[in-house]
Amino acid sequence: DAGITQSPRHKVTETGTPVTLRCHQTENHRYMYWYRQDPGHGLRLIHYSYGVKDTDKGEVSDGYSVSRSKTEDFLLTLESATSSQTSVYFCAIGGGGGMGEQYFGPGTRLTVT
Amino acid sequence: GQQVMQIPQYQHVQEGEDFTTYCNSSTTLSNIQWYKQRPGGHPVFLIQLVKSGEVKKQKRLTFQFGEAKKNSSLHITATQTTDVGTYFCAEVIIQGAQKLVFGQGTRLTINP
């Protein structure tokens, strides 16, 4: 498995609180991604990064922000969590060359009550 | 926006039976990737298809890309309990970074 870790792995939070999820990679890869996975929807791209301080929106970016101050870390922030953001969040790296495959982290299960 | 439809949503088979999942798009796809996610796990890359009419095999798995590059399929011959999981196709969109638009997935369960 690619060197990708996510923290925390599980979190329960209350509506209206801020939440930050961390993705850390040891592969020195340029591209990083945040997805959310919900039943019946597959995985949907939230935000992605194509370099330090270079980020862009995905298809479901409303209510989320990201930051990438170092190559190895990509942070996803929910400024004010809502129950609709209860989901499993996956970080991924890759997609820039070769077969173009993406490698996924183990995921973070977030519950907003 | 782009949309990839995947069917069926669920499939239950007896061990040893074959299994097929299909992905369809209304627009021409550049490339398509397939991933497998075991229960409780994360998606794992299986293969990428690039060429029209392409067929690739990995042991008991056969991947096809349609001639018009608007559909793709994954066929598993003689399923085994290790094949249990959800299979996703993903449209590859190259805009600097290589973004993926996933189908809804097909969840495969197997009766041993």
Side-chain angles (χ1 to χ4, degrees):
Chain A
D1 283 346
I4 310 169
T5 56
Q6 293 185 231
S7 58
R9 294 293 312 281
H10 302 271
K11 186 171 183 66
V12 179
T13 191
E14 294 184 347
T15 298
T17 60
V19 176
T20 295
L21 308 182
R22 180 182 184 236
C23 176
H24 180 80
Q25 61 144 331
T26 58
E27 306 297 319
N28 199 36
H29 209 286
R30 177 182 178 187
Y31 301 108
M32 299 185 74
Y33 310 80
W34 276 108
Y35 294 89
R36 60 176 289 174
Q37 183 173 33
D38 306 289
H41 289 278
L43 293 100
R44 292 179 290 176
L45 182 64
I46 305 172
H47 282 280
Y48 65 99
S49 170
Y50 46 95
V52 173
K53 298 186 179 180
D54 291 324
T55 65
D56 205 349
K57 297 179 180 180
E59 60 181 307
V60 290
S61 59
D62 287 349
Y64 302 94
S65 62
V66 289
S67 65
R68 191 171 180 197
S69 58
K70 298 185 291 184
T71 298
E72 57 266 35
D73 289 326
F74 193 29
L75 304 180
L76 177 70
T77 298
L78 292 67
E79 300 291 347
S80 177
T82 67
S83 58
S84 64
Q85 293 175 312
T86 292
S87 188
V88 179
Y89 291 86
F90 287 99
C91 173
I93 65 174
M99 285 287 284
E101 66 269 36
Q102 292 188 13
Y103 299 95
F104 286 79
T108 294
R109 183 172 296 276
L110 176 68
T111 302
V112 183
T113 60
Chain B
Q2 295 88 349
Q3 195 168 14
V4 177
M5 304 302 295
Q6 190 172 354
I7 56 170
Q9 189 173 358
Y10 303 97
Q11 184 77 60
H12 180 78
V13 301
Q14 291 290 125
E15 187 174 15
E17 292 182 340
D18 293 356
F19 159 77
T20 305
T21 174
Y22 301 89
C23 277
N24 298 292
S25 172
S26 58
T27 60
T28 301
L29 305 169
S30 57
N31 305 330
I32 193 162
Q33 294 182 357
W34 286 90
Y35 290 79
K36 176 184 179 180
Q37 184 177 22
R38 294 183 186 276
H42 58 274
V44 174
F45 174 79
L46 294 176
I47 209 159
Q48 176 166 272
L49 304 174
V50 176
K51 299 178 182 177
S52 168
E54 190 169 16
V55 178
K56 288 188 176 180
K57 294 188 176 183
Q58 291 179 350
K59 298 182 180 178
R60 294 177 295 104
L61 278 62
T62 301
F63 303 86
Q64 296 191 15
F65 204 4
E67 291 291 341
K69 299 184 73 174
K70 289 187 176 182
N71 56 76
S72 181
S73 65
L74 158 59
H75 179 81
I76 303 178
T77 303
T79 55
Q80 300 175 358
T81 54
T82 54
D83 296 324
V84 165
T86 301
Y87 293 85
F88 293 97
C89 63
E91 176 186 7
V92 179
I93 299 171
I94 302 173
Q95 291 176 344
Q98 196 155 309
K99 299 187 292 184
L100 299 178
V101 177
F102 282 85
Q104 298 91 332
T106 296
R107 182 180 173 192
L108 173 64
T109 55
I110 298 174
N111 203 21

